Amino acid sequence: MILKELMVLAKPTKINYEELDLRSRLDKVLTLMESQTLLNNIEVIKNFHALEVTIVGDENQMKQVFINYIKNAIEAMKDGGKLIVEGIHLNERVHIRIIDHGSGIPPEILKRINEPFFTTKEVGKGTGLGLSTVYGIVKQHHGWIEVTSKKGRGTIFTIFFPVSSNGHVSGTAPQNGK
């Protein structure tokens, strides 16, 4: 399984950059993940209805980013809970927040979550490539990610992307990543 994932990562794929409506992409991903949320007794709260902005990106890669973060949020809430997906447009950037009410991520693990092959999942359940892969995708799309987590209160992944201006990226991540 690990070799299969590595081959997918190593194989060069053509990236098709286009203007993407993030609101509809988030809706599609949440619809795709709906059965998993229902099976895990998770209530999904969408707060991105007013998000009327586009970014320049690859549709399949954006789906991969959102699916991965949402899937991890679902897995963090072993006893069910609320998954909140928010989106706002602020200062020529789009802020997408994926908030779970799980157990949180300890600081020593939080420092390593984007490292390739780092996983806290039991053997055979994860490769440690998911978060590092989507982290790379976000950077490739001139974005960045901030993560905050509190023990017993959950985790917030905030993904920032520059908005599109006539098919062009209007800004990039600041040099310090914030």
Side-chain angles (χ1 to χ4, degrees):
M1 185 172 86
I2 291 173
L3 286 174
K4 190 175 184 181
E5 286 192 38
L6 280 173
M7 293 302 289
V8 169
L9 291 173
K11 181 181 173 187
T13 57
K14 185 177 185 313
I15 298 173
N16 183 25
Y17 288 104
E18 60 184 319
E19 287 204 30
L20 302 173
D21 173 5
L22 280 182
R23 183 178 58 200
S24 72
R25 296 315 180 277
L26 286 168
D27 265 329
K28 287 178 182 177
V29 167
L30 287 170
T31 299
L32 183 68
M33 304 295 289
E34 188 172 11
S35 62
Q36 195 171 2
T37 59
L38 292 172
L39 286 171
N40 289 284
N41 195 29
I42 294 173
E43 175 187 1
V44 177
I45 299 169
K46 300 177 189 180
N47 191 10
F48 52 84
H49 302 292
L51 187 64
E52 295 187 20
V53 65
T54 60
I55 67 164
V56 174
D58 181 89
E59 181 172 9
N60 290 327
Q61 288 189 338
M62 284 299 104
K63 282 182 195 173
Q64 185 176 356
V65 167
F66 298 136
I67 286 171
N68 199 291
Y69 285 122
I70 291 168
K71 182 177 173 283
N72 283 334
I74 292 167
E75 291 171 357
M77 295 184 282
K78 301 207 183 304
D79 298 322
K82 291 184 181 175
L83 169 66
I84 303 167
V85 181
E86 299 178 332
I88 62 166
H89 174 200
L90 184 65
N91 297 330
E92 299 305 313
R93 293 190 180 96
V94 178
H95 304 220
I96 305 295
R97 291 176 24 150
I98 298 169
I99 305 165
D100 71 58
H101 292 98
S103 58
I105 303 171
E108 63 275 7
I109 292 174
L110 193 58
K111 289 187 282 190
R112 299 188 61 199
I113 61 172
N114 292 321
E115 289 179 22
F117 303 107
F118 177 75
T119 184
T120 58
K121 295 178 182 175
E122 60 187 77
V123 176
K125 300 279 184 176
T127 61
L129 293 173
L131 289 178
S132 66
T133 299
V134 296
Y135 175 75
I137 291 170
V138 170
K139 284 180 68 175
Q140 195 173 26
H141 284 76
H142 305 286
W144 74 98
I145 301 161
E146 291 179 0
V147 186
T148 56
S149 190
K150 291 189 179 176
K151 186 175 181 176
R153 293 194 159 176
T155 303
I156 303 171
F157 280 89
T158 307
I159 310 159
F160 301 89
F161 291 110
V163 297
S164 169
S165 175
N166 297 326
H168 300 289
V169 175
S170 64
T172 58
Q175 293 302 318
N176 64 3
K178 292 185 178 183

